[in-house]
Amino acid sequence: MLRLPQIIRNLFLRIQGLFGVLFGSFFNAVGNLFGFFAKLFGFTSSGYFLESDQAQAIKQASAKQPIETNQDNTAKIPTTNRRRSNAKIDDYYLNMARDVKKN
């Protein structure tokens, strides 16, 4: 990276940090003021933008239709695939380990 763009980027980051510290309390005060009026007029309640209770009850009743489940009475037999034991290969590695241990 060239030196001049790096210096300019760092300068802007430091200016942004300075404004964040200097004006942070001001922005917090303004946010608290707007928050007070939002609570006063009821904009923070979760049901403000929802439909009326009657419309919600209709939707909930139509969504609660019973679901039929069919039970499967067939016995489930677990299948296992066993590998053949490779005794020759196992013996080879065991013998090699014994030889290494001896030396």
Side-chain angles (χ1 to χ4, degrees), residues 7-18:
I7 293 172
I8 293 172
R9 285 180 187 156
N10 287 339
L11 176 70
F12 282 123
L13 286 173
R14 290 177 185 197
I15 291 172
Q16 180 185 4
L18 177 68

Side-chain angles (χ1 to χ4, degrees), residues 38 41-53 55-56 59:
F41 294 119
F43 290 119
T44 57
S45 63
S46 62
Y48 181 77
F49 295 104
L50 297 176
E51 298 174 354
S52 66
D53 291 337
Q56 286 182 1
K59 288 180 185 176

